[in-house]
Amino acid sequence: MIQLHIWPVVALAFLIALNIVVILMQKDDRKLKKYLRIQATAWTTLMSMILFTGAAVMAYLHIGFSVKIILMIVAAVALSSLEIRRHYLIKRSRPGNECFSDARKKVLRYYIFQLLWILMIGGFVPQLP
């Protein structure tokens, strides 16, 4: 049951790493904006899978709220808030303008923070009691 929860987390980390690479490699602003708007669906799907399987594992194993669970919930809220900010930033930005390079930097920063949250929770939470 835990495997059903771990694999979407790994897939989300891979998707975020792929997005970081695309931001660094893609020079055409219009293609980048289109890619980031389309891949948001994959991000939302994976995050929904993570939340659903986490709740299912918690219910199946009769796990109460502990420090681990609270940290995972905080991480999910942080990831979601960063994604919402990223989505609105991309939606408002206009390719070809100077402001798009600023938006590109902010989006890259949001993705790095998301990846750090995933790595922090994945590495830190299993050691907690």
Side-chain angles (χ1 to χ4, degrees):
M1 190 72 169
I2 292 288
Q3 295 298 322
L4 289 175
H5 182 64
I6 292 173
W7 283 110
V9 174
V10 171
L12 183 64
F14 178 74
L15 178 68
I16 291 171
L18 179 68
N19 291 340
I20 290 171
V21 170
V22 168
I23 290 171
L24 295 174
M25 303 284 288
Q26 182 62 263
K27 300 303 178 199
D28 186 8
D29 292 342
R30 294 186 194 288
K31 288 182 181 178
L32 179 63
K33 181 175 180 173
K34 184 177 179 180
Y35 170 79
L36 290 175
R37 300 255 340 240
I38 290 172
Q39 70 75 34
T41 306
W43 191 97
T44 304
T45 302
L46 286 171
M47 197 64 190
S48 298
M49 288 173 61
I50 291 168
L51 293 175
F52 177 75
T53 57
V57 166
M58 197 171 132
Y60 180 74
L61 296 177
H62 303 291
I63 299 174
F65 281 100
S66 64
V67 176
K68 286 182 186 183
I69 301 299
I70 292 171
L71 284 176
M72 287 184 193
I73 291 170
V74 168
V77 169
L79 289 171
S80 297
S81 67
L82 286 169
E83 183 64 16
I84 290 169
R85 292 179 76 184
R86 184 210 60 83
H87 175 74
Y88 285 125
L89 181 66
I90 288 295
K91 186 177 179 181
R92 287 184 303 224
S93 65
R94 300 288 176 240
N97 294 344
E98 288 182 24
C99 66
F100 196 81
S101 63
D102 293 336
R104 182 188 288 255
K105 290 176 187 174
K106 285 183 182 179
V107 167
L108 181 63
R109 191 173 5 177
Y110 291 155
Y111 278 134
I112 290 171
F113 285 146
Q114 286 180 351
L115 193 58
L116 288 175
W117 267 103
I118 290 173
L119 294 175
M120 181 180 67
I121 293 300
F124 177 66
V125 168
Q127 282 81 29
L128 292 175

